[in-house]
Amino acid sequence: MNALHGKNLAKIKQQNMENIKTILYRSAPLSRAQIASRLELTPPTITNIVGELIQQGVVQELDKAGESRGAGRKPINIDLVPESHLSLGVSLGRDGTRYCITDLRGRMLAQGSADRMPEEYEPMVQQLLDLLGTIRHRHANLWKRLLGVGITMPGIVDPHRGVIKNPGYNERKEWREKTLADRISGQIGLPVRLENNTRGRACAVSLFHSELLGEYSTFAFCYVYWGIACPLVLDNHSFRGEDAAAGEIGRMIMDPCLTDPCSHNMPAFCVPGSLESLSSVRAILAYCREALEAGECTVLAQICKKPEDLTLEQVLRAQERGDEAVCRIVDRGMRYLGIALANVVNFINPHLIFLSGPMFQNRRNLETVESILRSSLLYAEDEQLKLVYVDLGDFGDALGAAACCIEKYFLRA
C-alpha cells in the first residue's frame, strides 16, 4: 500500500514553483495572468514566485508586451532564460562514450567523444571520472552553471536510486546493483541522474522537440539498435514502474516455436523467438553474416569480403541494391517489429509512436513496419495513429542524458 503524504506550506510553494517552471518550459512566453489561469492559482501567488525566479535569473520579462483584449496596461510576457542553467549529458555505449553540454532548451554548447569504457566496473568508473575531470577543465565557464550530470547507458537501471540493475553495456555481473550515480556525485560535487539510454532519448524528444509532439503529451518511443526498447511517456512523464524495467519490448516473444539458427552469435540473455532475436541490429547482422558465409548473399559478398567484419552500413547498402537474401532477412525483422508495435497500440493505445535507429535510414524498412503495424491493429483504419521517424544523431544518447538531468534537477527539483 502506498504511503500517504501531507503537504505543508513549504511543499505547496515548492510544488507551485515546479508547476510554474514546467508551464513556462512547455508554453512560454506567457503573461502572469495566463499562468495564473492555467494553473488555477491566485495572481499574488504567481507574482511572488515569478519574482523569485526573476531574482534567481531563471526567467525574464520580455521587452515586447503581450496582446491585451481590453483597455489598460498590456500584460508583460514571461519566458525562461535558457542559459541560466546548463546540463551535462554523458552516454556510455557499446560504440564509445559521448558527452554534450546543453542549455535548458537542448542547444548544445559543447560536445565531445571518448573511447568505449572498459569492461571491468572499477576501471570504467575511474575512466569516467577522468573524462569528467577533462570536461571540467576544458569547459570551466560552462561547468560553473551546471545543474548536474546525466548519464545514460543501455540496459535496466533504477533512476530513483541511481543503481545499475542489468547492464546492456556488457554482460558482466560485477556491474549489477552498483550505485553509480552516488559514486560519481560524491566525487564531482554535482547531482547525477542515471537513466536508460532509450528513456533518455524519449525525454529529449519530450523536452527539446515540441515541434514533433504537436498536441500530444503521451507517446511511445521505439528505439531499435543492439537491443529494442519502447518506453511510454504519459502526459510528459516517463513511465518506468517500480523496478524501472518498463518498455523492454525486446523480450516480447514473437514466435515461441522458433529455433534461432544464429544463437551462437547472440548473448545468453537474448531469448530465441523474442523480438530482440529477430529484429535488432545485432540479430540482423547475425542472420546476414550466416547467409553470407553460406554463399546466399550475392550483392553483400561484393561489399563485404570478410563476414566477421560485417557492418550494418554494408547490410543496408546491399538491401538498397536488391540483395534477395538480405532483403528477406531485414524484411522479416521489420515485419515482426510492426507486429510488436501493433501489440503495444492495441494494449496501450498511444496515438503517437516515434521510431528511431539506424535501421530506418532505408525508407523501405520504415514503410514495412508501418504497413504491418496498421494491418495488425484492432482498428486498422485508425487515422489518429501517427508513426514518426526521428533521428537524434550520433549524440542522441548524450542529449537524452542531458534532458533527464534537466527534467530531474530543474523541472522537478
Side-chain angles (χ1 to χ4, degrees), residues 153-157 164-177 269:
M153 59 184 296
I156 299 173
V157 302
I164 303 171
K165 301 291 290 184
N166 190 5
Y169 177 80
N170 61 47
E171 298 168 42
R172 291 179 176 267
K173 293 182 179 180
E174 66 185 86
W175 285 55
R176 297 181 182 179
E177 298 300 325
F269 59 80

Side-chain angles (χ1 to χ4, degrees), residues 20-21 24-25 28-32 35 49-66 75-85 103-105 410:
I20 289 172
K21 286 193 293 186
L24 285 172
Y25 196 96
L30 295 169
S31 69
R32 290 173 175 82
I35 298 172
I49 294 178
V50 168
E52 287 187 33
L53 293 174
I54 290 176
Q55 288 182 347
Q56 295 170 13
V58 174
V59 303
Q60 61 185 336
E61 293 182 334
L62 301 181
D63 293 335
K64 184 177 179 180
I76 298 175
N77 280 339
I78 308 298
D79 201 354
L80 293 174
V81 180
E83 294 191 20
S84 61
H85 293 297
D103 65 14
L104 293 176
R105 295 296 188 188
F410 180 73

Side-chain angles (χ1 to χ4, degrees), residues 216-235:
Y216 299 100
S217 59
T218 294
F219 61 88
F221 185 93
C222 183
Y223 183 54
V224 180
Y225 193 43
W226 224 236
I228 302 175
C230 188
L232 295 173
V233 175
L234 307 174
D235 195 21

Side-chain angles (χ1 to χ4, degrees), residues 20 32-37 40-51:
I20 289 172
R32 290 173 175 82
Q34 288 173 317
I35 298 172
S37 175
E40 298 182 345
L41 295 172
T42 64
T45 297
I46 300 300
T47 297
N48 290 337
I49 294 178
V50 168

